[in-house]
Amino acid sequence: MTIAGAQEGAMYGIRRAVAAAMARDLTAFVLPGPSVARSMGIDLANAHLRLVGTPRHANLLIVVGPLPPGLRDAAAVTYAQMPRPRAILALGAGDIAPLPDADVSAPLTRAGLRSGLADLRRVIAAGAFRADTGEFNAPALEVRVEYTCPMHPEIIRDAPGDCPKCGMTLVPRETASDGHGGHGGHDMPREDRPNPADHAHAGHAQDAGGSGAYTCPMHPEVISDAPGKCPKCGMNLAKAEEVESHGHGHGHGHGHASHAPSAHGDHAGQDDKAGGSGAYTCPMHPEVISDAPGKCPKCGMNLVKAEEVESHGPGPGHGHGGHGGHGKQQDHSGHDGHAGHGGHSKAAIDGIEPHFMSMVEMTKDQPRSSDGLQMDWIKVPFGPFFPGLPAGLRLTLTLDGDTVAASDATSLVGATDLMDGPQMRVADFVERLATMMPLSPVSYRALACAAIEVAAGVEPDHDARRARAAAVERERIASHLNWLAEFGLQSGFLWLAARAGALQLAVQGADVAGIATQAGAIRRLSRRVQAAPLMRMRLRRIARIGKDAPASGPVELARGGGSDARTGDPTLKDLGFEMRVRNGGDALARLRQRCDEIAQSLDLIAAAGRIAVPQVPDVDRVSGEGEARIETPRGTASLRVKLANGKVVEADLDTPTDVNIALVETVTAQQELGDALSAVASLDLSPWEVRG
Amino acid sequence: MSILVVLLSLAAGAYALAVIERWAVHGHLSLTGPAWAALALMGRESLLARKSDRLFFELGPVLLLVAGLMAVAVIPLAPELIITDLATGALFLNAALAYVLVALIMAGWGPNGAYAMIAGWRFLGQFIAYAMLIVMPITAVAMRAESLSTVEIVASQAQLWNVLYQPMGFVLFVVAAMGLAWLPPLDLPDATGELAGGVEAEYTGVRLAVLRLARMVIILALAGATVTFYLGGWLGPWLPAWAWSAIKILVVAAAMLSVGRYMPRIREARYLALSWKLGISLALANIFVVGVIALVVPI
């Protein structure tokens, strides 16, 4: 009995003790995430294991519930990042390929978790080591080698050859067959880590200069017809050609960051055509030109023959800088930045240290930050399984230093069709919609029922409506507590993470009496969160959104105004509902808004007196169309359905996350990394809801 | 002899801290937990990230451990129980801890991963924020003791502990110490929810065990420094000197480890702004006030 991901080695002596220790000390990474697990009623906090934030520190991968197809490749990457011995526990997960078969499978219940973990401990204690271990392979892990021209990055071929544009030999480059992994930047154990050659910029210097014009050596975008000073830095403008031919070399060095170092030899030759008249010039100040050797009047460096500067453009100065710097920092796909040095150092120029690095040359053609500095930009993927971000959301941040220069948020869960065929039975449709949204199943069940009732023209009775409203309110409390727990995890407020998570599990399936017993604890938690030290400092003025940006739910109400689908509902009015709004529109206002809503929902549930999950309406061969709106925990969702002969034949859903996900770019722009992540978290996105 | 005793108590202290940290992070108190965890780490694959800077990657955790051990060398557990009573002990402590920064940058850069690298640079960015607030309060402590020897500093507190004599310095020093040991809420370089473990993110197996141990030693060294400089070191009635040191150090370390559990992590920009603008001014004011008191009422 061994586990699939056993560590190599015979099972004897001390290894038995180590295996026993591993079985005792389970460190788990949860897929899709702890928040989804809690929504499904799985209490991992009390399962005698430690949840960790990176697969590198885990020896157990727990898959909770069915894994959406869009997340499976990322799951395989996550598994590959775990050190051996590694085990998989699948709780009601079904098909998890390309992950290997689970070492232990159990049903998705608390009892299932208990027995599954007990089995797993036995398996690990007995089989953490094995003499022959196989490699884990999955299509998502494959690295494809493609060939590209160092001069023309748009040329990409599957086989080696020459560039059709310039005839240069194409150079190999590694690329992932899938563009994105779970935790980007993590290298995989043994297997080569795929990673997109993420280039924030493909700056080629030759684009910069205009013909015959004057331009600033520091700011290539500054172009003038006459000589003068640069409006940005005050330097003297230089003839564009000069800058251009000089920058050319740099352009290469820069472009090389993504290419194999072998290509550099080719370059030096290429650039010879740019050779000048044999004058002397300063390697740092191309505008200094002299007929005789000497010192640069600006920096005192020895002047060098102009040809040398140009032909060795990508040489010691730039090339080295370009490689040392870029290969490492900018391009995390893991090109060896150091391998490139050897070849260059030979081409030493008089007066320049062989390893001289010029920041000016290195960064000249890179895009500028908002503060005017030029830094290396790196593109870092966060998610889809990043602790503190919504599970299933892939957030790609282009970082300029530690400031976000650009962001992209995509749901990897993927929208599933609302209908599984041309027509569906009403009960199946309701069930399908509820299971599609694991983070708020009750709300979507209520929404489906309401839309069908409108379409069929049936009215549930007063009591049923109240009980249904109470069920949605209960889910709102649970969902907001879940958000608080996730926020606690992200911001390192671990007491909050533990407490809110426990309360969520307690509230989730509770009846009115059960909620009443927790109400005091929930209100205390909500007060304590808002009063916690550093909380205001952490969230105030973070992720502000304007009055006119489209938003939904607490995000919208927290900036003063907006709409709540509950306002028009007579049932809720009857229960004493009043729309709560807050001014601010920042992450702090959103936190307070959610805390307010929790308190209000507690009151509404107490007023309703009964909680019942909505029952599928009885529609008997009716035809018709109807639309319903409901305020889910994340905002207003609306559903249109068309019934024909008592079957659902058409359905169309709008969700709040579809609206709010568009805000990611606004709220992360020019934010420090930590602030940007809090900003994204403050939107409470559900990747399962993304349909557009 | 005293070296052996200090090292043994260091090992015991590191284990006790591991127990407390486990509680602070995962919420369960288990006396045997860290032992099992350490044993389990020994058997795990120790991965070397692809295209890593091997030298930095391997040396980072070791250098961190060395820095911590050097700092511990000048912490007195009792008048005679100290590895080396340097005349410049307080300065030496500061010099040893300067290598924490180097080690963390190496550990961040080494594995060639974005999260670790950002974490390393973050720590570099905070350098002045905590380093000034370590040095300046120590200056005021040395002013009172008229010595940089840690033993002398403890002895100078016989009448009144420095925590009462210069409370402002105490607060600044503890905050800066937490920043230096990257403890929550100042845990920007490992920030679980932001950088998935940061500098620790790429370490596995034995290397991770060394990194964790090194961090415990750093925390112990800083708690020891706090006790030495402000809480009267081994001074105390009834119990033997070493027992007072042990109790005080463990209580301080436990407090430093657990306070972050009850608040969110500070924002990087705020941390820097507060340290530079408020912290350094207060530290200067502290030196001035202590100077005046030392001249006027010599106790």
Side-chain angles (χ1 to χ4, degrees), chain A residues 181-202:
Chain A
H183 282 260
H186 288 220
D187 277 314
M188 274 200 247
R190 297 184 192 173
E191 298 93 353
D192 279 351
R193 166 84 173 94
N195 213 325
D198 282 331
H199 270 272
H201 39 79

Side-chain angles (χ1 to χ4, degrees), chain A residues 29-39 71 182-183 382-396 409-413 438-439 482-483 485-487 489-490 594 634 657 660-661 664 668 676-690, chain B residues 193:
Chain A
F29 192 78
V30 186
L31 299 185
S35 61
V36 180
R38 274 194 305 270
S39 298
L71 295 179
H183 282 260
F382 289 86
F385 306 123
F386 196 84
L389 282 179
L393 183 79
R394 193 195 62 207
L395 180 69
T396 310
T410 326
S411 164
L412 288 191
V413 175
L439 294 176
N482 200 2
W483 177 82
E486 281 287 282
F487 169 71
L489 188 66
Q490 186 191 53
R594 291 196 180 99
R634 290 177 182 77
T657 297
N660 288 341
I661 199 170
V664 168
T668 54
L677 293 174
S678 312
V680 174
S682 77
L683 299 175
D684 192 13
L685 304 171
S686 161
W688 275 264
E689 286 183 354
V690 175

Side-chain angles (χ1 to χ4, degrees), chain A residues 21-71:
Chain A
M22 286 168 176
R24 265 187 96 108
D25 182 65
L26 292 180
T27 46
F29 192 78
V30 186
L31 299 185
S35 61
V36 180
R38 274 194 305 270
S39 298
M40 292 174 170
I42 299 296
D43 184 7
L44 292 166
N46 288 316
H48 299 288
L49 42 79
R50 288 186 291 149
L51 298 181
V52 290
T54 160
R56 284 287 198 223
H57 297 171
N59 64 358
L60 170 62
L61 191 70
I62 302 183
V63 185
V64 181
L67 204 55
L71 295 179

Side-chain angles (χ1 to χ4, degrees), chain A residues 24 27 56-57 84 174 186-187 189-190 192 328 332 334 381 386 490-491 495 537-538 672 675, chain B residues 22 36 44-45 47 50-51 109 112 115 118 122 193-194 200-204 261-262 265 267:
Chain A
R24 265 187 96 108
T27 46
R56 284 287 198 223
H57 297 171
R84 279 166 242 252
E174 285 175 359
H186 288 220
D187 277 314
R190 297 184 192 173
D192 279 351
K328 193 76 181 173
H332 269 270
F386 196 84
Q490 186 191 53
S491 63
W495 175 83
M537 202 188 272
R538 169 104 201 167
E672 192 269 333
D675 294 348
Chain B
R22 212 176 157 85
W36 292 112
R44 269 199 221 170
E45 201 174 9
L47 299 170
R50 190 169 159 251
K51 310 279 186 189
W109 175 267
N112 190 23
Y115 302 143
I118 295 170
R122 263 186 175 191
E194 291 174 14
E200 286 187 8
E202 305 288 341
Y203 284 95
T204 60
R261 186 174 163 78
Y262 300 100
R265 186 176 305 122
R267 286 178 56 211

Side-chain angles (χ1 to χ4, degrees), chain A residues 546-592:
Chain A
K547 295 256 182 211
D548 44 351
S552 184
V555 179
E556 185 184 27
L557 298 169
R559 59 153 189 222
S563 65
D564 186 319
R566 290 175 288 175
T567 30
D569 188 335
T571 314
L572 279 156
K573 200 169 177 189
D574 209 32
L575 293 173
F577 173 78
E578 266 177 55
M579 191 169 87
R580 302 277 174 97
V581 266
R582 270 198 175 266
N583 285 314
D586 57 3
L588 185 64
R590 261 162 250 158
L591 171 82
R592 290 177 170 163

Side-chain angles (χ1 to χ4, degrees), chain A residues 169-545:
Chain A
T169 309
L170 299 182
V171 295
R173 172 173 77 178
E174 285 175 359
T175 162
S177 45
D178 166 32
H180 31 73
H183 282 260
H186 288 220
D187 277 314
M188 274 200 247
R190 297 184 192 173
E191 298 93 353
D192 279 351
R193 166 84 173 94
N195 213 325
D198 282 331
H199 270 272
H201 39 79
H204 270 257
Q206 54 261 56
D207 304 336
S211 57
Y214 288 83
T215 179
C216 170
M218 290 288 294
H219 299 96
E221 67 275 21
V222 174
I223 294 167
S224 160
D225 288 328
K229 303 254 184 207
C230 171
K232 296 201 176 176
C233 60
M235 279 175 72
N236 288 330
L237 296 185
K239 275 230 177 90
E241 290 130 0
E242 275 171 359
V243 175
E244 197 180 352
S245 62
H246 187 74
H248 215 68
H250 174 68
H252 296 289
H254 180 59
H256 283 260
S258 66
H259 307 305
S262 61
H264 293 280
D266 299 343
H267 275 295
Q270 273 287 313
D271 283 326
D272 276 341
K273 64 175 191 282
S277 59
Y280 289 83
T281 179
C282 170
M284 289 291 293
H285 299 95
E287 66 275 21
V288 173
I289 294 169
S290 158
D291 289 337
K295 303 254 183 209
C296 170
K298 297 199 176 179
C299 61
M301 281 173 70
N302 288 331
L303 297 184
V304 295
K305 278 226 177 96
E307 285 150 3
E308 271 178 335
V309 176
E310 272 151 340
S311 65
H312 294 296
H318 323 195
H320 177 79
H323 291 284
H326 297 268
K328 193 76 181 173
Q329 254 170 284
Q330 165 202 9
D331 182 1
H332 269 270
S333 50
H335 293 278
D336 194 339
H338 300 277
H341 296 186
H344 296 293
S345 332
K346 285 184 215 140
I349 296 175
D350 280 349
I352 303 184
E353 299 283 319
H355 285 271
F356 177 75
M357 245 201 268
S358 161
M359 283 308 287
V360 175
E361 300 302 334
M362 269 171 63
T363 59
K364 188 156 67 182
D365 307 308
Q366 297 185 17
R368 260 162 209 283
S369 315
S370 56
D371 55 8
L373 293 171
Q374 281 174 325
M375 304 191 45
D376 279 319
W377 289 23
I378 53 173
K379 214 169 176 180
V380 186
F382 289 86
F385 306 123
F386 196 84
L389 282 179
L393 183 79
R394 193 195 62 207
L395 180 69
T396 310
L397 299 178
T398 303
L399 294 174
D400 163 25
D402 64 354
T403 306
V404 176
S407 64
D408 172 60
T410 326
S411 164
L412 288 191
V413 175
T416 6
D417 288 332
L418 290 176
M419 314 266 300
D420 64 357
Q423 57 172 21
M424 279 182 89
R425 285 175 44 225
V426 165
D428 293 343
F429 177 77
V430 171
E431 199 54 45
R432 185 177 169 85
L433 192 60
T435 47
M436 265 172 67
M437 306 291 178
L439 294 176
S440 44
V442 178
S443 304
Y444 281 92
R445 174 183 288 273
L447 178 66
C449 292
I452 289 166
E453 281 157 9
V454 175
V458 291
E459 277 268 303
D461 63 36
H462 182 69
D463 276 356
R465 279 209 309 266
R466 285 170 76 105
R468 178 190 293 184
V472 174
E473 294 309 313
R474 179 182 65 184
E475 188 171 85
R476 192 180 317 282
I477 298 171
S479 175
H480 287 351
L481 286 170
N482 200 2
W483 177 82
L484 281 171
E486 281 287 282
F487 169 71
L489 188 66
Q490 186 191 53
S491 63
F493 192 170
L494 296 177
W495 175 83
L496 173 64
R499 193 80 189 110
L503 285 172
Q504 181 202 355
L505 284 161
V507 162
Q508 216 154 227
D511 56 10
V512 175
I515 289 174
T517 57
Q518 302 290 346
I522 294 174
R523 286 180 208 273
R524 272 197 302 282
L525 174 89
S526 144
R527 272 198 303 276
R528 200 164 155 183
V529 170
Q530 297 181 59
L534 304 181
M535 183 57 88
R536 270 171 60 85
M537 202 188 272
R538 169 104 201 167
L539 294 180
R540 208 155 59 95
R541 279 185 257 156
I542 295 297
R544 279 175 121 157
I545 53 167

